[in-house]
Amino acid sequence: MPEIRVTPLGAGQDVGRSCILVSIAGKNVMLDCGMHMGFSDDRRFPDFSYITRSGRLTDFLDCVIISHFHLDHCGALPYFSEMVGYDGPIYMTQPTQAICPILLEDYRKIAVDKKGEANFFTSQMIKDCMKKVVAVHLHQTVQVDDELEIKAYYAGHVLGAAMFQIKVGSESVVYTGDYNMTPDRHLGAAWIDKCRPNLLITESTYATTIRDSKRCRERDFLKKVHETVERGGKVLIPVFALGRAQELCILLETFWERMDLKAPIYFSTGLTEKANHYYKLFIPWTNQKIRKTFVQRNMFEFKHVKAFDRAFADSPGPMVVFATPGMLHAGQSLQIFRKWAGNEKNMVIMPGYCVQGTVGHKILSGQRKLEMEGRQVLEVKMQVEYMSFSAHADAKGIMQLVGQAEPENVLLVHGEAKKMEFLKQKIEQEFRVSCYMPANGETVTLPTSPSIPVGISLGLLKRELAQGLLPDSKKPRLLHGTLIMKDSNFRLVSSEQALKELGLAEHQLRFTCRVHLHDTRKEQETAVRVYSHLKSVLKDHCVQHLPDGSVTVESILIQAAAHSEDPGTKVLLVSWTYQDEELGSYLTSLLKKGLPQAS
Amino acid sequence: MAAHLKKRVYEEFTKVVQQQQEEIATKKLRLTKPSKSAALHIDLCKATSPADALQYLLQFARKPVEAESVEGVVRILLEHYYKENDPSVRLKIASLLGLLSKTAGFSPDCIMDDAINILQNEKSHQVLAQLLDTLLAIGTKLPDNQAIQMRLVDVACKHLTDTSHGVRNKCLQLLGNLGSLEKSVTKDAEGLAVRDVQKIIGDYFSDQDPRVRTAAIKAMACKLLSDDYEQVRSAAVQLIWVVSQLYPESIVPIPSSNEEIRLVDDAFGKICHMVSDSSWVVRVQASKLLGSMEQVSSHFLEQTLDKKLMSDLRRKRTAHERAKELYTSGEFSSGRKWGDDAPKEEVDTGAVNLIESGACGAFVHGLEDEMYEVRIAAVEALCMLAQSSPSFAEKCLDFLVDMFNDEIEEVRLQSIHTMRKISNNITLREDQLDTVLAVLEDSSRDIREALHELLCCTNVSTKEGIHLALVELLKNLTKYPTDRDSIWKCLKFLGSRHPTLVLPLVPELLSTHPFFDTAEPDMDDPAYIAVLVLIFNAAKTCPTMPALFSDHTFRHYAYLRDSLSHLVPALRLPGRKLVSSALSPNIMPHEDPSHQFLQQSLERVYSLQHLDPQGTQELLEFTIRDLQRLGELQSELAGVADFSATYLRCQLLLIKALQEKLWNVAAPLYLKQSDLASAAAKQIMEETYKMEFMYSGVENKQVVIIHHMRLQAKALQLIVTARTARGVDPLFGMCEKFLQEVDFFQRCFIADLPHLQDSFVDKLLDLMPRLMTSKPAEVVKILHTMLRQSTFLHLPLPEQIHKASATIIEPAGESDNPLRFTSGLVVALDVDATLEHVQDPQSTVKVQVSYPDGQAQMIHPKPADFRNPGPGRHRLITQVYLSHTAWTEPCQVEVRLLLAYNSSSRIPKSPWIEGGEMSSQVETSIEGTIPFSKSVKVYIMPKPARR
């Protein structure tokens, strides 16, 4: 029985370390290869020994697919390919291919240079790893080998994020990665056609949330920034380098342009600048507005957003600064925060979630006095705002995507178990498809019934059509033909053609049966009687009396002969081909009953 | 024996496949029977090949056929059809049959039998499809004949099993058209048959060919809404809409339960679901259609804006709800706490429905769509639905206000316009007003002006709201001083709509103090004027307000009432005489003294026509002066006054020209002086064109008079030429042309001639026979005497008349910095102008650029450059491309707007004048342009290109 097997090595009932193994029709594919942000020991990478037990990775895996450049989806890639050892192809979209190494390098620097970890992958390893990458375009069908093909769909979320369809023959799996069903200022909404996969593997980060309209959020954000700037205050927005930072930049940039504001907006240099450069290049991956207007002006060539310099933090007058990192736990954003916290005119806007223990979390939970290193106490007078700009699909969005793709089964990953339960129940209830949520290391096996396409020759098809009504998908139809299996494809041809192709001579199988009739008349007369009897019984069939004295019913031949021994008995020779078995046996049984007495 | 049998067996198997090639055999036309009814027959006889026959048929198809000969033609065609072997010719004949059966006055039932007959023998799929089409034409021609309809339906059913999708398509079309026709006509007896038809079509929903499916669904109704092909879904949406519009009130059951709902509600829910379709084309269509489903019940309508929020399985309130609550609880929005939007109660997991099949949140999704086309469609739909349901208008307000922050300007603009349209039904809350007003800082002028228009008709609930609006408008004024007029106008309406809300604000706004006198504000400050406009307009309906004014306010009132009379209303001020005559708005325009004055002065002119020439001239001059001044003072009468003044000026010019000494002296002596008369003639011509085309609201009565005046001018021109020109040859042509024009005038205005008693043309027409035969010199003499004797025609005033005018706002023409560009290349000049009372500006308004060397260029702006901010007003925002060869120093080019006209457009078309004859006439269409704006000078400097 053919089946699809799915084993999450990471992201099973969990967020982070996405890594899912899929076996489909004998092909093994690894979806994403991420790291876990919450751990710094071995647990941060997926447990590849699960695969290596049975041999080398390259032998086992046919390909690796990376959905987007977030580290929890690609962070373990150099480790996986260079340290564990994998030489097969790695597929990702072009923006991911471009941005991924920057993030990996950054991650490596923090881990090795700052935390001093040993036995970590090196810069060279990142480079070597990226050499194995094959870039995929949107909606391009890539043949990994003769049977396995993959295709990317737009996923929103971040620049270059994609959903992948993995297909072998008629069996297919769709992996969504992270996606967003509502468009934002720089990215469009995820879209998939009605591909009806056997299995849809979807993220479920916001399985239990239905979000408010993004417009309210945007408006609130802009209003708050605007008011502070008008008051002459400074606004600090701690962000992570990629993704939301660009979104907020565009939001502010367009607002500044519309409202003709003059206050400067600064962006911390380094990583973000580099990333912005890539955003400029990958315009086709952005939303409608940016794509349509980039000929006049590339939206990522910010007019109002300039690079930040340390000295600017002390300059007077209103300004808006985007600074990394996003949780205010270290670096530039924290420095600026300390400078500005004392003034009640200023404001800090946290655009995302903050982990417990960070300064960001403290101020969000209302703490007004912060202990800094060296026993200093920082009094926070500035306003603290929280705005959630998240680029994941909410429960409605997930349902919408499931509705669009019409899968036979759904599998949830990348979410918390409790929330998944709810969504699972909803999906099963509303789409009536089975839904799975395996934990890490747990394997889900789905039996499939792959349809095997069989080519039919046109001549045969036309002949069949001519015989009766059009084919009806709901009713099975009987068709006579010959099935030829050759070079792993199937063809249905008429038997003559099959014989010709295979160079075989046709053998005809005929059944002959003798029926003894008690009839004293001559052979001819018996034949006439048989003819008139059959004619009256078989009204629907063509019954003929041939000049040589024999009778035919369709292609069945009936001859009457005198019995060699008993002249009072006539022998009817009934002969039919294999194809006419049904009619033939009916005729014999009919004749065996004898002829009606001539009246 | 066996071989013999085998052969037979196979023969039977292969029998039915019909190949089209078999039919293309030798083709020869053999027609023997001669016929009289049409030449077609002979042509067909002559045709030796199918190509020829096809040619003849094509030629034949171009000519119309009279109803009585249709049948004969049809017979010939049919006869030919039977003999024809070539499918393409048969196809053409079949299509001709269809065309012919549509001929008015011809009853096609006689050919139906033949058509059905040939249908049964036809083998080619294309011809079959065409024949079915013909039958459809016949069927629609005979909607009352039940028997024929039934028969056609039968035929269609039979051919539904054809292998060609084209034939199946046509069958379904036939079934759909005739089947539904049946439905509307018949009663219960035939109901069975109807259902049958629907079922048959229903079966074809699952046809294998998408084209057939499209046809099937177009023929009737919902499972195809989830089809794989977007065209099919799109058609399905449309179909459902049509069905819901036809039978909105019929009750349909809900499949999963045993409840029943109205069809229109069900359809609304289904279309709402399509707003989240995967194809944006379908989304746009669904959103658009939602707007036109006004019969939907309010319960469903309000669901479209409803989206239950949830966070971690707990119910959460939307930002809108929170804002509303904060507002009602009297607090100001803090939004400062992290937990501000903390989720409240737990949600029952069973009750949460993630994909509502109904209308839930359709507009929330539509307004957030990725494609701005969908968003615009959703906004439009909101607008239409809100106009028909006040309660829905109230609810959708929050969402519209949100759209003011869309990233695409078009969407913002559209939502502002939408809001304006529904603003009669709504009152803005303060927090909503706040968001609305934030848009005032938008750098796009269109947006700001649209917003001003919106504020003009907005209801504000509190005095804080008014104050806020005023503050924001003043901020807008300082930021964009060019918006001055628009802001003043906006404040005028804001004041007159909310007198009671303005009242408590007055002391603060005027910064008066109970004990101290405050400094007198600067009278020229646009912001101060803005405040005063607001207050004075509020004071109009609030008599207690003037008591709060300080002395200088009254002085300023007097000044503003005079200088900005359109913004400042007349007030009844205590202890003062009314500065201007108090007009209560109820006075009819005819009782209005200034209108009376106008009437009287015109009466005077018209009655005193037998005065001596000197006196007439003076009276005319005075009246013209009066009228012009009146027009300046009373803007509402400007159109009428100008119009009449122009007419009188024409008359004056005519009188003056006829008074010339020229006429008394021998011709050769007065070459120079004759300039005056011919110049007068030319000027009258120009003025008449202005009268005809520059005013909106000119009626036929006036057009006659104007044309009459022009005719007089032409006569004048003729006699002046006769006087001055040497030789008779040119005169011949001119006379003839003039007489033709008289003839043309007579034919165009035959209906109005009785009104022109005693006029020039009246007399002229009396003498027409004589003129036709006279020599040119004679004609000129007659014309001269008639011109002198002719009376002054009374110009009836139209009800509403407005002069077209244009003001160029940009370029301002004040810049000293020349616009530098490389010669030979182009430079784009932004032109921004407002047009008033221009009809169809897209085709008439042109921009003229004249260069210092006398070169003039005419530029036709794109239709998209015109905006229509209000009735009678247009805004032209365009770019004009300038180019020139190099100059040595900067020079000025003049930019002005022209109104292009075409004289044939205004002439009333009498039914008996055939178009063809008209065009052969002399006076067909004189095209020209009238400048109607002041010219603006732009300093430019084309530099030679550097190598």
Side-chain angles (χ1 to χ4, degrees), chain B residues 72-131:
Chain B
V73 174
V74 167
R75 291 275 159 248
I76 299 171
L77 285 173
L78 282 173
E79 200 175 321
H80 191 69
Y81 183 94
Y82 289 128
K83 291 169 188 162
E84 183 55 58
N85 286 324
D86 185 53
S88 59
V89 178
R90 287 208 306 275
L91 183 74
K92 184 67 204 165
I93 293 179
S95 87
L96 272 179
L97 286 179
L99 278 176
L100 286 172
S101 58
K102 283 181 194 159
T103 315
F106 169 68
S107 169
D109 45 355
C110 50
I111 62 168
M112 202 183 75
D113 285 334
D114 292 281
I116 294 176
N117 245 333
I118 55 180
L119 189 73
Q120 266 141 14
N121 300 326
E122 185 54 58
K123 293 288 179 335
S124 158
H125 296 307
Q126 281 158 317
V127 182
L128 262 178
Q130 186 57 53
L131 278 171

Side-chain angles (χ1 to χ4, degrees), chain B residues 349-398:
Chain B
T349 47
V352 181
N353 191 4
L354 283 182
I355 346 176
E356 295 82 357
S357 53
C360 269
F363 278 119
V364 180
H365 285 292
L367 294 176
E368 267 185 40
D369 199 274
E370 181 185 358
M371 311 302 272
Y372 77 92
E373 290 91 340
V374 182
R375 297 200 297 268
I376 286 188
V379 168
E380 275 168 5
L382 264 187
C383 170
M384 285 161 81
L385 289 172
Q387 273 174 327
S388 59
S389 157
S391 67
F392 182 68
E394 194 79 42
K395 288 225 164 53
C396 75
L397 212 56
D398 275 322

Side-chain angles (χ1 to χ4, degrees), chain A residues 196-385:
Chain A
R196 300 197 175 94
N198 295 84
L199 175 65
L200 176 78
I201 305 175
T202 172
E203 64 134 332
S204 51
T205 324
Y206 285 103
T208 54
T209 302
I210 300 175
R211 261 182 291 144
D212 200 353
S213 121
K214 62 163 186 162
R215 289 181 193 284
C216 298
R217 239 168 17 223
E218 285 177 2
R219 198 189 57 207
D220 276 0
F221 173 75
L222 292 173
K223 205 171 135 191
K224 278 168 188 163
V225 174
H226 190 193
E227 276 170 3
T228 313
V229 169
E230 285 224 313
R231 267 204 307 269
K234 297 178 170 64
V235 183
L236 172 67
I237 307 172
V239 285
F240 289 103
L242 285 163
R244 292 308 90 195
Q246 278 74 18
E247 168 78 6
L248 294 176
C249 272
I250 288 206
L251 199 56
L252 280 188
E253 166 86 8
T254 40
F255 187 71
W256 249 239
E257 186 118 341
R258 262 182 66 198
M259 296 306 182
D260 209 6
L261 297 178
K262 293 286 180 283
I265 307 173
Y266 295 114
F267 205 115
S268 59
T269 46
L271 188 57
T272 330
E273 245 183 344
K274 235 188 254 174
N276 269 354
H277 177 64
Y278 287 109
Y279 271 78
K280 272 180 224 170
L281 291 178
F282 292 111
I283 290 297
W285 288 83
T286 55
N287 70 6
Q288 185 197 24
K289 153 103 179 174
I290 297 178
R291 267 182 287 139
K292 287 216 165 139
T293 54
F294 96 99
V295 181
Q296 283 102 41
R297 187 182 152 211
N298 194 323
M299 283 287 272
F300 293 103
E301 269 166 27
F302 301 117
K303 246 192 228 164
H304 301 271
V305 184
K306 293 162 207 126
F308 185 69
D309 188 288
R310 215 165 276 257
F312 293 163
D314 294 321
S315 50
M319 66 173 86
V320 181
V321 175
F322 290 94
T324 49
M327 296 186 196
L328 274 182
H329 52 272
Q332 206 166 32
S333 60
L334 188 61
Q335 284 172 8
I336 300 170
F337 176 74
R338 290 170 74 167
K339 277 186 183 153
W340 293 357
N343 192 339
E344 66 273 11
K345 275 205 282 185
N346 296 345
M347 178 185 282
V348 58
I349 298 180
M350 309 297 298
Y353 179 74
C354 290
V355 168
Q356 207 155 18
T358 57
V359 175
H361 187 263
K362 281 178 195 157
I363 57 171
L364 277 180
S365 43
Q367 220 169 311
R368 280 310 186 179
K369 289 206 172 127
L370 300 173
E371 269 186 53
M372 309 306 278
E373 65 264 33
R375 300 203 160 250
Q376 277 176 303
V377 174
L378 183 69
E379 202 180 338
V380 182
K381 285 185 183 158
M382 76 197 299
Q383 297 173 56
V384 179
E385 302 284 355

